[in-house]
Amino acid sequence: MDRVDDLARAFERFPGIGPRQAKRFVYHLLSTNVNDRNRLADLIARIGDSVAQCQECMRYWSGSGDLCIYCADRSRDDSILMVVEKDQDLAAIERTGAYRGRYFVLGGVLTLSGKGAIREADLIQRVERRSHEGLQEIILALSATSEGEHTADHLRERLSPLREHVKLTVLGRGLATGSELEYADSPTLSSALQNRKET
Amino acid sequence: MDRVDDLARAFERFPGIGPRQAKRFVYHLLSTNVNDRNRLADLIARIGDSVAQCQECMRYWSGSGDLCIYCADRSRDDSILMVVEKDQDLAAIERTGAYRGRYFVLGGVLTLSGKGAIREADLIQRVERRSHEGLQEIILALSATSEGEHTADHLRERLSPLREHVKLTVLGRGLATGSELEYADSPTLSSALQNRKET
Amino acid sequence: MDRVDDLARAFERFPGIGPRQAKRFVYHLLSTNVNDRNRLADLIARIGDSVAQCQECMRYWSGSGDLCIYCADRSRDDSILMVVEKDQDLAAIERTGAYRGRYFVLGGVLTLSGKGAIREADLIQRVERRSHEGLQEIILALSATSEGEHTADHLRERLSPLREHVKLTVLGRGLATGSELEYADSPTLSSALQNRKET
Amino acid sequence: MDRVDDLARAFERFPGIGPRQAKRFVYHLLSTNVNDRNRLADLIARIGDSVAQCQECMRYWSGSGDLCIYCADRSRDDSILMVVEKDQDLAAIERTGAYRGRYFVLGGVLTLSGKGAIREADLIQRVERRSHEGLQEIILALSATSEGEHTADHLRERLSPLREHVKLTVLGRGLATGSELEYADSPTLSSALQNRKET
C-alpha cells in the first residue's frame, strides 16, 4: 500500500509521532470526507503564504510587513532582549503579561550530541546591532532541562565579548507550581529560599 | 494568527491530538521547507484517489478494481467471516499468518454512550448474502475492552436471526503476552485454564 | 540517626520499596502511637507461629497440621497438579472457582540472570511420588512474562523424564481483559483465534 | 488466614500501600528467616525509645535531651523560623546547606476537606515565645501544591496578629529543575522572570 505508507512516513516526521500513530492519522483521513481532506491539504500548502517569519525576532506570525506586532510595537522596551527556544515559549511569556521587552526565537536548542540548527548567527547579528541601540540586558530564557542549560552555557560563551556593555541573565529557579519540597533538588531549593518573598 | 489557528484546529481532529500538540505540528510545518509542505499537502489531497475502499470488506487499500487482494483471493476460505473494528486490526490478524478466511471492517465500535457510526447495515447485507454462499461461522474479533464487548453484544443480537445456519464465535480469552497471574481477572484465568495446551 | 536508618534499611528489603518510601514508613511509625507500633511488632514477630507452611504444596496458611485445606481436601482431583510461582497466584486461581486439582508453589521464578531460589527439588520429589498416585497432568501456570517463560522452559526440561506417563501443559494464551487487537502480538492473536468459542 | 490478614491490614496503614502490596509484604516476611523477622519487630518496637521528638521543632531525631542538634545549636540564627510540613522536607532544606535559621515541623498539611492533624497550637506557642526573643521572619516553606497553598493561607491568617513585628515569607516560585517554559504556568513564569539573575 505505497500511498498509505508514503503519507504515514510523512506524518512520522511530525514531532512526537511514531509509526503506529502515523498510520492511524492516514486511516483517519481516509475515513473523513474528501472536502475536509482537501481543506486540510489547502491549509498546509498555503500556511507559508499567510504566515510570515518576522525578520527581527524570527517568530512566525500572520500579518503583512517584515516585522511582527511585538517587534513593530514602539512602546516596548528596547533595553531588554529575551532569547527563547521556540514560538510556543514566546507565547507562554506573553500570556504572563509581565514582559514588555524584545524577543529573539532561537528555533531550537543545542542537543547534547552537539547538533541543533539554532539561529545563532542571526542572534549575534541582532545583539551586535542592538548593543548600539540601548540594549542593556539579554535574558537567556531557556528551559531548566539539560539541553536548555547546555544551550545557555554555549550562548553565554558566544555572547561574552558583549558583556562589558550588556548584562546576561537567566530565569530564576524556584518551586514550580505543583512541586513538593521533599523531591526538589538542592539548587532549586536554594534559589527558592533566596528568592523568598513577603506574603 | 488565524491561519495557524485554522490549521491547528484541523490537526486537533486527528485521533489522540490535543491543542498543544496540534500547535506544535503547525510550527513544525512552518519550519520545514516549502517543498516538503507541498508534498504533504499533495499526498493528503490525493490519498483518496490512490486508495480505494474495498466494496466487500470495506477496508482501504491501494490498487485497482472494487475488491481488495484478500476479497479477490479465491483461495481464501468463504465459510468464515471475521468482523474487526478497524483496518489496523485486520493488519494485525494478517501478520499472524493464522487466518485464511474473509473479513469485514466495521469502521468503529459502539461507544457506551450509544454513538458510533459503524457499518452495521453493510455487515448485515454481506452476512445475508454470504449465508447463501457457504458461510458457516462469523468471528466477532473485537477488542477485550468494554466498548468492544458492548459492540459484540449488540452484533450478536442483530445477527441472531442467522444463528440457525451460522455459528457466532468470539476470540479466546487467556493470558496475553506480558500478563501476570496475580493481576489477571477471573474470566481471563478461567479461559486460560480451559484453553491450556500441551507443551 | 542510626536507628531510623537501620529501620529504613530493613524496609528497603520489602518488595518494591526504595530508600525514600522506606524512610517515609519510619516517620509514619514514629508518628503513630506506641500501642500501634507494639502491635505491629508483635504481629511480625509471631507471624511465623500462627502461619504454617504446608508440607505438600509449600504455601503459607494458618491452621494446624502439616497439610493446608486444599492439600487435605480428599475431594480434590489428584490427577492434576498446578505449579504456580507464588501464594498470591494460587489465590487468584482459587478465586476463579474453576480448578479442583492440586497445587505446588515454586516460591519464585528463575530470573534471566540465572538466580532464583525456587523449590525445584521439592517439586521433582512431589511429582515423582504423585506419578505413582494417579498424576496425569502438570499445569505449568506461570506468568506470560519472559521470566515466567524462562522458568517454564527450565521446568519442562527437568520434568521431561516423566513425560511418558504425565502430560505437561501451559495456560492458554489469548486476549486478556482490556487488551486491544491492534496492539496484541502475533502469538497472542493466533492463540486467541485458535481458542475462539461459540457465543 | 486471620493472622496474615491482620498483618496485611496493619501494612495497609503505611503511606501509599494498598491491599495487594500489603499482602506481598506479609508473604515476603513469611519467606525470610525468623531472625530477620525478629530483628525487624525489635527495631519497630524500639524505634520510639531510640528516637526522640525534639520539644522545640517537633522533628524526630536520635539522641539524648529535649532538643535536637539544630535546636540546640547556638550558632544558628534565632531571627528566622522556617515552617515545613514534615521531617523529610527539613532534611531536604538541610541538604542545600543554604539555611542556618530555626525550624518547626508541622507534621502534616491541611487537606482540602479541612482535616489534617497539624501542630498548629504548638506553632503559635513557639512563635509567640520567639517573638520576644528576636524572631523577625517566619518562612512558610510549604509545597507548591494546592494543599500546601491552602495550609499557607490558613497559617498566614492565624499568624496575622504577629505581623506587626514579624515578617511572613513564602519560598520563591520559578522554573524547577527539569521544567520547560512551554508548559510552565503564568505565575511560575512571572516569578522566574522577576527573580532572574545575572549569569
Side-chain angles (χ1 to χ4, degrees), chain B residues 137 144 156 163 178 196 199, chain C residues 137 144 156 163 178 185 196 199:
Chain B
E137 179 180 353
R156 194 184 295 116
R163 298 186 72 162
R196 69 186 184 270
T199 182
Chain C
E137 179 179 354
R156 194 183 296 115
R163 297 186 73 162
D185 56 316
R196 70 187 183 270
T199 181

Side-chain angles (χ1 to χ4, degrees), chain A residues 79-132:
Chain A
S79 70
I80 315 185
L81 178 72
M82 184 185 286
V83 180
V84 295
E85 180 195 339
K86 53 189 189 298
D87 293 73
Q88 297 98 303
D89 295 349
L90 188 157
I93 295 286
E94 278 299 306
R95 275 197 298 272
T96 67
Y99 182 71
R100 292 287 301 159
R102 303 294 179 184
Y103 290 107
F104 184 82
V105 181
L106 271 182
V109 281
L110 271 178
T111 61
L112 296 180
S113 60
K115 287 202 295 181
I118 59 168
R119 302 166 188 141
E120 203 176 297
D122 289 310
L123 172 63
I124 302 295
Q125 182 269 325
R126 294 297 181 286
V127 164
E128 278 173 356
R129 198 200 65 228
R130 282 184 176 280
S131 71
H132 303 296

Side-chain angles (χ1 to χ4, degrees), chain B residues 86 137 143-144 156 163 167-170 172-173 175 177-179 181-182 185 188 192 196-199, chain C residues 86 137 143-144 156 163 167-170 172-173 175 177-179 181-182 185 188 192 196-199:
Chain B
K86 53 191 190 296
E137 179 180 353
S143 289
R156 194 184 295 116
R163 298 186 72 162
K167 191 164 67 167
L168 285 185
T169 57
V170 291
R173 295 297 178 90
L175 287 185
T177 299
S179 50
L181 248 75
E182 184 185 354
D185 56 318
T188 296
R196 69 186 184 270
K197 54 180 156 198
E198 209 154 341
T199 182
Chain C
K86 52 189 189 298
E137 179 179 354
S143 289
R156 194 183 296 115
R163 297 186 73 162
K167 191 164 66 167
L168 285 184
T169 58
V170 291
R173 295 296 177 90
L175 287 185
T177 299
S179 51
L181 249 75
E182 186 184 354
D185 56 316
T188 296
R196 70 187 183 270
K197 55 180 153 201
E198 209 154 342
T199 181

Side-chain angles (χ1 to χ4, degrees), chain C residues 53-169:
Chain C
Q53 188 166 19
C54 173
Q55 291 312 300
E56 185 60 30
C57 72
M58 305 304 278
R59 82 185 185 94
Y60 295 100
W61 71 299
S62 54
S64 60
D66 279 352
L67 298 184
C68 77
I69 45 165
Y70 306 139
C71 290
D73 183 348
R74 297 188 157 222
S75 76
R76 292 189 78 116
D77 186 350
D78 280 317
S79 71
I80 314 185
L81 178 72
M82 184 185 286
V83 179
V84 294
E85 180 196 337
K86 52 189 189 298
D87 293 74
Q88 297 97 304
D89 296 348
L90 187 157
I93 294 286
E94 278 298 306
R95 275 196 298 272
T96 67
Y99 182 69
R100 293 286 303 158
R102 302 295 181 183
Y103 290 107
F104 184 82
V105 181
L106 271 182
V109 281
L110 271 178
T111 61
L112 296 181
S113 60
K115 289 203 294 180
I118 58 169
R119 301 165 188 142
E120 204 177 295
D122 289 311
L123 172 64
I124 301 295
Q125 182 269 326
R126 295 296 180 287
V127 164
E128 276 172 357
R129 197 199 66 227
R130 283 185 176 279
S131 70
H132 304 296
E133 296 169 6
L135 181 64
Q136 288 170 24
E137 179 179 354
I138 300 171
I139 308 176
L140 300 174
L142 296 159
S143 289
T145 58
S146 52
E147 297 198 339
E149 288 180 1
H150 178 55
T151 306
D153 286 347
H154 175 76
L155 293 178
R156 194 183 296 115
E157 209 170 285
R158 287 299 312 270
L159 296 168
S160 63
L162 293 135
R163 297 186 73 162
E164 219 171 310
H165 313 95
V166 180
K167 191 164 66 167
L168 285 184
T169 58

Side-chain angles (χ1 to χ4, degrees), chain D residues 33-136:
Chain D
N33 70 59
V34 68
N35 290 337
D36 283 357
R37 273 203 306 266
N38 285 341
R39 187 168 166 275
L40 175 64
D42 195 55
L43 280 167
I44 290 171
R46 288 165 53 190
I47 191 75
D49 304 337
S50 50
V51 176
Q53 188 165 19
C54 172
Q55 290 313 298
E56 185 58 30
C57 72
M58 305 303 278
R59 81 184 185 94
Y60 295 100
W61 72 299
S62 53
S64 60
D66 277 353
L67 299 184
C68 76
I69 45 164
Y70 305 138
C71 291
D73 182 349
R74 295 185 161 226
S75 76
R76 293 188 77 114
D77 186 350
D78 279 318
S79 70
I80 315 184
L81 178 72
M82 184 185 286
V83 180
V84 295
E85 181 195 338
K86 52 190 191 298
D87 292 73
Q88 298 97 304
D89 295 349
L90 188 156
I93 295 287
E94 278 298 307
R95 276 196 298 271
T96 68
Y99 181 70
R100 292 287 301 159
R102 302 294 180 184
Y103 289 107
F104 184 82
V105 181
L106 271 181
V109 282
L110 272 178
T111 62
L112 296 180
S113 61
K115 289 202 294 180
I118 58 168
R119 301 166 188 143
E120 203 176 296
D122 290 311
L123 172 64
I124 301 296
Q125 182 269 326
R126 293 300 179 284
V127 164
E128 277 172 355
R129 198 199 66 228
R130 283 185 175 278
S131 70
H132 303 296
E133 294 168 8
L135 181 64
Q136 289 170 24

